[in-house]
Amino acid sequence: MLQSVSEFSDSKTFFALVALFIFFLCLRRFLVRRNLVDKDGHPIPPGPLFRYPYLGQYCELDFDRWARRFGSLVSVWMGDQLCVIISDPRAAQDLLVENGAIFSSRKNYFIKNELILHNRAMTASPYSQLWRHHRKIAMRYLSEKAVPNYVDFFASEAISLLRSLHRESASCTRPVNPALSAVRFTLNNMLRISFGKRTSSIDDPLLHTIQKLVMEFDDITGPVSNAVDFIKPLQYLPTHTRTRGLNLNSDMNHVYGDMIGEMQRRLDSKEDVPDCLVKMLLETKDEEGMSSEDILMLAIAFAFGGVHSIAGIIQWFLAFMATHPAVAAAAQAEIDRVVGQERLPNNDDEKHLPYVRAIIKEVQRIHSPFWVPTPHYSTADFVYNGMYIPKDTVMILNCWTIHHNEDRYPDAFTFNPDRYLGDDLSSIVSSKLRDPMKRDHWAFGAGRRICPGFAIAERELWISISSLLWAYNFEVVPEEPICLDEYEGSSGRTPLPFRMKLTPRHDAAGRLVMEDNSMAI
Ligand code: HEM
């Protein structure tokens, strides 16, 4: 009897130990990294021991810490997904550019790609014939060749921006938050290109609706911010983020679907509609093989890619000018010398205004709208410098560390446009340099998925920023310091809301911003 009791308790202990062992194995499987090697023994790049379900809002700081500890190529497991973080310009060039045939796809993100974009928008498409086709169509409206068609209306929208800031600041008597005026400038430009229309004023409900949609998109589509993107079973739960994704898809469909429907009605009734992306898509959809949802998602890509990114940079520019008055004064002296005070700067002036150009580059370096640009995804196994990068790896360009590399940008945390004096290249030309250490910055990504709106963005930034410098002096409101370190959004990043004081710099600027020209308000 005694013996059977002890046998029973022994077997109980044995089973408990086995259960514990299995439990730890499972835990290890879910919590601890897996160090893969390829058939020749090459290991994956080094990286942190634990797996992560998601990372917090300032994930770039985690990437930076890991880059300092493990090197320029780090591997990290997000749930079951292997990610490789690239923190060095040479590795970025070798992998994303030189080996673009392998590193140009996209992971199928659950929230962004499946729920919100239905796997259709260009940014969500895997590297495929369909993506090439959509990108080719978009480039008809976005390439460097197309830009001259937009120069006049960008300039007129820049005047609207100056006037709307004047109006929003009650004729410069009150501090103003520049966010809405900046968003309206970029939204109007995108609406003109895609729908041949613009918002009628800063109070236009369409402006407020799209502003909200874009902010929601930026908030819930961070590349490493949703556990549901990396832990598949969570996709079947009714989580809050899932509901937000579904609502966003439905709101986008509603707003953009209505605008496309209106365009179709105008075309059906043979109205004289200005040339624009959506008109062309509706007229050629059969020969181009575009479904209604393809058209919708392509039009949305113009708003979601091209509005907050540029508007965010304009806001950062204003924040830096208010907090760095000596920099603003030097740029304004340059403008006064080259352009004078009787007319606004134009595109021909750009080559004669190197300091203004340097400011624009420095703002993009120190506050890129995408510290973590939409990751690329590998479509074949690859070995780089003895490290194995398996097929289906998420490739993350760590712009934060690259933009704070002390060898390339000495005193990298200081806002110093001087570092770009002597750099006469446009950013789009700079991005094609063979030596990646000479490239000005990486704000537009790299390789075959590089931002298709690059040329448009450069033009919009030039015309808006040079006009703002020509027209206004900028000041911090004494009791409201402007925060230059923190920001909001998890994919696209924009400054925390701030207010500043504006004053017209001279009589010509005063006259221009007060003129009641409804065309340009
Ligand atoms: C300052 C302004 C802008 C910045 C900093 C910016 C930045 C970026 C970045 C970093 C990417 C990812 C690149 C990569 O995968 O390597 C991207 C992709 C994209 N951008 Fe922009 N962008 C800007 C303006 C625009 C504009 C004006 C448009 C207008 C349509 C646009 C549309 C897109 C689209 C559709 C993609 C996805 C491309 C693809 O996956 O093939 N962006 N952008």
Side-chain angles (χ1 to χ4, degrees):
M1 176 69 185
L2 262 180
Q3 191 190 0
S4 68
V5 168
S6 102
E7 266 173 19
F8 177 69
S9 73
D10 278 357
S11 64
K12 234 173 110 181
T13 316
F14 173 75
F15 282 120
L17 283 174
V18 169
L20 210 63
F21 180 68
I22 293 173
F23 176 70
F24 276 116
L25 269 188
C26 290
L27 215 59
R28 194 184 142 75
R29 158 84 182 73
F30 289 115
L31 294 184
V32 178
R33 70 181 274 121
R34 211 171 132 212
N35 282 314
L36 301 174
V37 287
D38 74 356
K39 59 180 176 7
D40 300 316
H42 298 116
I44 56 174
L49 176 63
F50 291 106
R51 290 172 189 250
Y52 293 82
Y54 65 90
L55 295 172
Q57 200 214 346
Y58 295 117
C59 58
E60 53 275 11
L61 301 184
D62 296 318
F63 295 164
D64 188 58
R65 198 164 32 84
W66 291 334
R68 281 170 212 287
R69 181 158 166 220
F70 299 109
S72 58
L73 231 52
V74 172
S75 69
V76 58
W77 287 90
M78 302 292 306
D80 260 350
Q81 175 64 60
L82 180 66
C83 303
V84 165
I85 301 156
I86 309 168
S87 305
D88 168 74
R90 287 182 199 87
Q93 178 90 356
D94 291 345
L95 295 170
L96 304 183
V97 182
E98 305 298 339
N99 286 288
I102 293 177
F103 295 106
S104 294
S105 202
R106 298 282 198 219
K107 172 184 161 62
N108 186 14
Y109 279 92
F110 180 66
I111 296 291
K112 177 176 169 182
N113 298 13
E114 279 192 41
L115 293 188
I116 304 176
L117 301 174
H118 282 191
N119 290 322
R120 282 174 189 273
M122 204 193 310
T123 178
S125 307
Y127 188 53
S128 61
Q129 232 8 73
L130 188 74
W131 166 78
R132 264 185 219 100
H133 184 52
H134 287 188
R135 187 148 169 141
K136 213 166 135 196
I137 292 176
M139 288 314 280
R140 288 187 214 157
Y141 288 83
L142 296 174
S143 68
E144 282 170 277
K145 266 205 235 144
V147 170
N149 300 329
Y150 311 139
V151 166
D152 286 348
F153 74 74
F154 285 177
S156 131
E157 292 300 342
I159 297 177
S160 288
L161 167 65
L162 302 180
R163 289 188 178 149
S164 120
L165 286 168
H166 186 253
R167 195 190 120 176
E168 289 283 283
S169 62
S171 307
C172 296
T173 59
R174 281 203 310 250
V176 60
N177 175 342
L180 203 57
S181 300
V183 169
R184 179 161 176 254
F185 167 73
T186 54
L187 177 63
N188 274 357
N189 289 331
M190 284 301 113
L191 284 176
R192 289 277 274 264
I193 295 172
S194 44
F195 286 92
K197 68 189 247 178
R198 66 194 290 274
T199 60
S200 55
S201 80
I202 201 107
D203 306 317
D204 191 322
L206 185 62
L207 169 63
H208 294 263
T209 306
I210 297 182
Q211 152 87 331
K212 256 197 234 134
L213 294 182
V214 177
M215 279 184 83
E216 178 70 350
F217 185 80
D218 281 350
D219 211 37
I220 60 172
T221 57
V224 288
S225 60
N226 295 317
V228 64
D229 285 328
F230 304 109
I231 302 172
K232 209 163 177 179
L234 297 181
Q235 295 176 7
Y236 303 101
L237 302 179
T239 54
H240 181 51
T241 317
R242 188 178 200 279
T243 311
R244 284 172 73 184
L246 288 169
N247 288 344
L248 181 56
N249 170 274
S250 138
D251 293 346
M252 275 170 20
N253 284 354
H254 184 62
V255 175
Y256 274 79
D258 280 359
M259 288 199 288
I260 293 171
E262 183 197 323
M263 172 70 73
Q264 185 68 65
R265 275 190 297 283
R266 291 175 68 193
L267 291 175
D268 290 345
S269 59
K270 307 274 181 265
E271 249 184 69
D272 189 16
V273 178
D275 280 335
C276 59
L277 172 82
V278 172
K279 175 183 174 188
M280 181 277 289
L281 290 174
L282 289 173
E283 286 177 341
T284 61
K285 66 178 179 210
D286 293 335
E287 66 213 64
E288 295 287 3
M290 298 285 283
S291 69
S292 304
E293 197 167 30
D294 286 334
I295 296 178
L296 184 89
M297 289 301 172
L298 201 51
I300 286 173
F302 276 54
F304 283 49
V307 172
H308 256 198
S309 48
I310 303 177
I313 293 173
I314 294 173
Q315 290 169 71
W316 278 123
F317 155 78
L318 289 167
F320 277 100
M321 291 307 99
T323 49
H324 295 71
V327 172
Q332 287 163 337
E334 184 181 71
I335 289 179
D336 289 348
R337 211 168 43 245
V338 174
V339 179
Q341 299 193 337
E342 288 309 312
R343 67 169 178 88
L344 281 159
N346 61 33
N347 284 314
D348 296 335
D349 298 318
E350 191 178 3
K351 51 186 170 303
H352 305 299
L353 296 169
Y355 194 63
V356 179
R357 292 167 54 125
I359 291 177
I360 298 173
K361 288 191 184 221
E362 179 66 346
V363 173
Q364 291 179 85
R365 180 195 71 82
I366 206 158
H367 266 301
S368 274
F370 300 95
W371 280 135
V372 186
T374 316
H376 293 210
Y377 196 56
S378 66
T379 46
D381 288 354
F382 194 78
V383 174
Y384 180 66
N385 284 349
M387 287 176 277
Y388 171 43
I389 304 175
K391 178 176 179 288
D392 298 336
T393 297
V394 164
M395 306 296 294
I396 295 175
L397 180 67
N398 176 7
C399 272
W400 202 92
T401 301
I402 292 179
H403 283 194
H404 291 84
N405 178 330
E406 286 287 332
D407 293 338
R408 172 67 182 89
Y409 310 106
D411 200 9
F413 285 87
T414 302
F415 177 71
N416 175 19
D418 287 6
R419 71 176 84 247
Y420 284 113
L421 287 177
D423 175 350
D424 297 332
L425 301 180
S426 68
S427 290
I428 204 163
V429 171
S430 187
S431 75
K432 293 174 190 153
L433 291 175
R434 289 211 57 83
D435 179 354
M437 286 305 276
K438 297 211 167 103
R439 190 171 159 167
D440 54 4
H441 57 73
W442 297 72
F444 292 88
R448 299 181 189 189
R449 303 300 288 241
I450 200 165
C451 176
F454 206 150
I456 300 254
E458 280 213 273
R459 247 349 64 218
E460 287 189 56
L461 287 172
W462 168 258
I463 204 68
S464 55
I465 287 180
S466 61
S467 300
L468 284 161
L469 280 166
W470 177 87
Y472 286 119
N473 284 323
F474 319 98
E475 268 174 83
V476 176
V477 182
E479 57 282 12
E480 297 180 29
I482 297 175
C483 175
L484 295 176
D485 301 322
E486 295 170 39
Y487 33 84
E488 49 189 19
S490 68
S491 53
R493 315 301 184 85
T494 43
L496 300 183
F498 68 90
R499 298 197 310 161
M500 63 191 301
K501 278 176 72 181
L502 295 170
T503 331
R505 286 187 58 232
H506 37 67
D507 290 349
R511 282 195 303 276
L512 181 83
V513 293
M514 275 187 297
E515 248 171 53
D516 183 18
N517 174 354
S518 55
M519 241 305 286
I521 287 181

